[in-house]
Amino acid sequence: MTRVAVVGATGAVGRVMLELLHQRAFPADEIVLFASARSAGTELGGRTVQLLDENADLSGFDIALFSAGAGTSKMWASRFVDQGAVVIDNSSAFRRDPSVPLVVSEVNPHALRHHHGLIANPNCSTMQLMVALAPIHRAVGIERLIVSTYQSVSGTGKAAVQELDAQARADLDGVPMPAPELYPDHIAFNVIGAAGNFAEGDDHTDEERKMMFETRKILEDESIGIAVTCVRVPVRVSHSEAVNLQTREPIGPDRVRELLADAPGIILEHVPSPLRAAGRDEVFVGRIRRDDSHPRALSMWVVSDNLRKGAATNAVQIAELVAADRAGSPVS
Ligand SMILES: NC(=O)c1ccc[n+]([C@@H]2O[C@H](COP(=O)([O-])OP(=O)(O)OC[C@H]3O[C@@H](n4cnc5c(N)ncnc54)[C@H](OP(=O)(O)O)[C@@H]3O)[C@@H](O)[C@H]2O)c1
């Protein structure tokens, strides 16, 4: 009997995880949904949402999928682990912990062999970048990356989608837009040149720092130079990234296209778009071209649904590997 807990089930990522568990026929006999007091007691997909508090019964779970923010993960993940569950966490709470594997299912599933009950899912912008870059890194090595992101509002959660919609509706109706609540400026018909938050004394945002740290951890290469600018754009779903990469050995655009065409989870297109990527599990890569300013540099455009491969799909793919491992087919 396999029991799965979904913590943060009512959120932007949680709802997609539930859909995917169903669509991918995840071998669960029971799925229990947890959220905060805001939605405990409501119905979701025929199940009643449970309140995650001191009275909650955390026993008997095989897998717990967390997407309820870093604070909730820090408070509750270890309690599920202590009761025997493997926790797959979407938040940033444990990604920097050297004892916690940070896994992209197509890139470094081998890291799962060393988990101690906790597995971290990377940040959504890093996730899609890793799927696109790992085949190139394996073939010729990556020396330096320059990435500019164009991140959708659903990356901030369900409330941010409502904020974009409310501002856009007001402006189209010719009335003043409601004041920004989640972002430092209006997001409708605008671009915010710093996605994430600035820590005291840092001139990079936490989103930018996550991409730098997580890329090196997942590709297992501390020597990669990375410059990142994370930007928020008025798109509901799917993050886009303009990527410039300098390789260690020379490689041309045609060979890169061949490598990516053979790699799992990638679709090559001329110019991928966030609208077309929304609702899809793959990472879309296009505009692969030589950067004439350097003999070993290339540019490309990488787009993926941040709620799917950027979060829920990868978490469920890891859950499938963990379930197979528990059933006696260990990760190779
Ligand atoms: N959105 C993305 O693209 C993305 C990508 C990768 C990773 N993540 C990470 O995934 C997590 C969730 O993101 P999201 O975008 O889904 O956020 P969201 O739409 O705001 O949803 C948050 C979820 O967490 C629940 N929650 C909040 N506080 C809780 C508490 N104290 N106890 C139990 N449940 C609680 C909420 O329940 P209520 O309904 O009761 O409020 C809701 O289900 C975050 O850590 C985020 O960084 C998000």
Side-chain angles (χ1 to χ4, degrees):
M1 164 111 175
T2 301
R3 294 181 75 234
V4 175
V6 180
V7 178
T10 53
V13 174
R15 285 169 186 268
V16 180
M17 287 200 299
L18 286 177
E19 250 176 67
L20 287 169
L21 288 170
H22 177 67
Q23 279 170 15
R24 296 172 72 100
F26 187 85
D29 299 288
E30 191 187 358
I31 298 175
V32 180
L33 316 185
F34 290 102
S36 80
R38 282 181 293 273
S39 38
T42 59
E43 293 287 313
L44 188 58
R47 299 180 182 90
T48 305
V49 177
Q50 310 289 311
L51 177 62
L52 185 64
D53 72 354
E54 298 297 335
N55 298 320
D57 181 4
L58 312 185
S59 62
F61 288 107
D62 296 275
I63 292 172
L65 296 165
F66 267 66
S67 67
T72 307
S73 296
K74 281 179 190 159
M75 180 177 277
W76 292 97
S78 61
R79 302 192 197 190
F80 276 86
V81 174
D82 290 346
Q83 299 268 352
V86 174
V87 168
I88 300 162
D89 183 34
N90 271 292
S91 83
S92 59
F94 309 109
R95 292 179 192 148
R96 283 177 174 264
D97 183 332
S99 70
V100 175
L102 181 64
V103 176
V104 181
S105 65
E106 296 87 350
V107 175
N108 61 336
H110 55 270
L112 288 173
R113 285 198 297 263
H114 308 294
H115 78 77
H116 304 286
L118 262 176
I119 298 161
N121 223 25
N123 172 261
C124 38
S125 314
T126 312
M127 186 90 72
Q128 65 188 65
L129 186 67
M130 295 302 93
V131 175
L133 293 187
I136 305 171
H137 186 249
R138 265 185 229 116
V140 288
I142 292 174
E143 202 166 75
R144 182 167 187 238
L145 285 169
I146 304 170
V147 183
S148 299
T149 70
Y150 302 67
Q151 295 179 223
S152 72
V153 295
S154 60
T156 316
K158 59 186 174 183
V161 180
Q162 289 161 6
E163 182 155 324
L164 167 63
D165 286 356
Q167 291 174 5
R169 197 170 292 120
D171 199 61
L172 290 171
D173 287 347
V175 298
M177 289 194 219
E181 288 182 19
L182 293 165
Y183 297 122
D185 204 340
H186 285 104
I187 184 63
F189 308 111
N190 203 6
V191 164
I192 299 174
N197 301 302
F198 290 98
E200 182 75 30
D202 196 353
D203 56 6
H204 282 71
T205 69
D206 52 356
E207 285 288 294
E208 291 162 352
R209 292 285 175 209
K210 284 176 202 171
M211 184 176 279
M212 295 175 197
F213 176 84
E214 294 176 23
T215 295
R216 295 183 183 118
K217 180 168 175 175
I218 295 162
L219 295 181
E220 297 165 355
D221 186 346
E222 288 302 312
S223 71
I224 301 175
I226 311 176
V228 187
T229 305
C230 287
V231 175
R232 191 72 62 187
V233 295
V235 167
R236 284 206 187 94
V237 176
S238 299
H239 294 345
S240 306
E241 297 171 342
V243 182
N244 182 272
L245 64 146
Q246 195 172 308
T247 54
R248 293 191 188 281
E249 294 163 36
I251 187 167
D254 288 343
R255 179 68 190 128
V256 168
R257 272 188 280 274
E258 278 170 20
L259 285 172
L260 299 189
D262 287 345
I266 294 180
I267 293 185
L268 291 176
E269 277 187 0
H270 182 43
V271 187
S273 86
L275 262 187
R276 273 183 286 108
R280 299 286 299 267
D281 288 315
E282 302 89 349
V283 173
F284 294 77
V285 184
R287 303 219 54 213
I288 301 169
R289 61 202 191 278
R290 195 177 290 287
D291 168 359
D292 291 333
S293 70
H294 189 281
R296 283 176 284 107
L298 296 155
S299 295
M300 57 174 68
W301 178 243
V302 179
V303 182
S304 189
D305 182 329
N306 51 290
L307 299 174
R308 305 272 298 205
K309 183 59 195 174
T313 304
N314 197 65
V316 173
Q317 286 170 321
I318 292 173
E320 288 166 353
L321 293 171
V322 169
D325 189 28
R326 289 198 152 209
S329 312
V331 178
S332 57

